[in-house]
Amino acid sequence: MTEATIAESNKPLIDVRTLAPAERHPRIFNTLNALAPGSSLLITSDHDPRPLHYQLETKFPDKFAWEYLEQGPAVWRVEIARLDSGCDCCCGSH
C-alpha cells in the first residue's frame, strides 16, 4: 500500500456507481455535513460529477474544496474537503 492509499483509506468513500441515482446527492450531502472542518470525502463515479461540484459551489460557497484525483474516461475520483472557514454564527468572528 502506498502512503496515498493509506491516507485515503481513513476518509469516507462513496462509490455512487453502487447507488440508485436518486440516492446519490442526498448521501453525499449528508456525509459532507457530518465532516469535521479539515476532513474530506472521496467519491467514485462512472461520469464526471460536475453537476455536484456546481451544487456545492452554489449552495455552500467557500465551504468545500474540490480536487479531481482521476478524470475518466471510465472512472472519476474526487476528493471533497470541508474547509475550516471559521464561525458560522451571527457574531461575525472568524
Side-chain angles (χ1 to χ4, degrees), residues 15-79:
D15 186 340
V16 299
R17 300 171 297 180
T18 65
L19 300 174
E23 296 176 23
R24 294 173 182 180
H25 285 202
R27 172 88 55 94
I28 291 166
F29 283 113
N30 286 338
T31 304
L32 288 173
N33 286 333
L35 287 178
S39 298
S40 60
L41 162 69
L42 301 170
I43 296 173
T44 302
S45 180
D46 59 359
H47 65 279
D48 187 348
R50 192 175 330 162
L52 175 65
H53 190 194
Y54 177 75
Q55 276 188 303
L56 277 174
E57 289 180 335
T58 303
K59 291 183 178 184
F60 306 102
D62 303 320
K63 298 291 183 193
F64 295 96
W66 179 281
E67 180 183 357
Y68 282 102
L69 303 175
E70 189 173 345
Q71 291 184 275
V75 174
W76 277 260
R77 292 178 58 239
V78 175
E79 182 172 3

Side-chain angles (χ1 to χ4, degrees), residues 81-92:
R82 184 171 190 163
L83 302 176
D84 182 8
S85 58
C87 178
D88 285 330
C89 65
C90 61
C91 66

